Amino acid sequence: MSHVHRDRKKLLTRVRRIGGQVAALERALQGEADCSDVLVQIAAAKGAMQALMIEVLKGHLNEHVVAGKTEAVRAREAEAIMQLLGRYAR
């Protein structure tokens, strides 16, 4: 069983929290929120997304890279992560 499926409940809890933060950001933008309040909401949503990314990435590294069955599998998975991090850092 994949780590994403095994940790589904915990990950979905994080996603729902992110959804709440994005909804709060939308309400702030629709209302008359001060720009500093909007910036705080953006920072909170970004932090929550980063925490979700790290959580899934840790599971992926442990399950698919560290515990990869062969050197070829580990190398392929490591390369996929490097490409992902390159896109994520943009």
Side-chain angles (χ1 to χ4, degrees), residues 26-85:
E26 183 178 0
R27 286 190 303 274
L29 289 170
Q30 287 176 340
E32 294 185 20
D34 185 62
C35 62
S36 62
D37 294 332
V38 171
L39 289 168
V40 167
Q41 290 293 335
I42 293 169
K46 180 182 182 221
M49 286 295 289
Q50 285 179 318
L52 175 63
M53 176 76 164
I54 295 300
E55 186 72 27
V56 175
L57 184 58
K58 286 189 325 190
H60 186 81
L61 285 169
N62 284 325
E63 191 166 305
H64 300 287
V65 178
V66 173
K69 295 191 186 302
T70 67
E71 180 63 30
V73 168
R74 290 188 296 272
R76 184 181 67 236
E77 293 295 335
E79 178 61 29
I81 289 171
M82 287 186 276
Q83 289 178 8
L84 170 73
L85 291 174

Side-chain angles (χ1 to χ4, degrees), residues 16-29 41 45 49:
R16 289 181 185 114
R17 187 176 310 125
I18 292 165
Q21 290 170 324
V22 171
L25 174 59
E26 183 178 0
R27 286 190 303 274
L29 289 170
Q41 290 293 335
M49 286 295 289

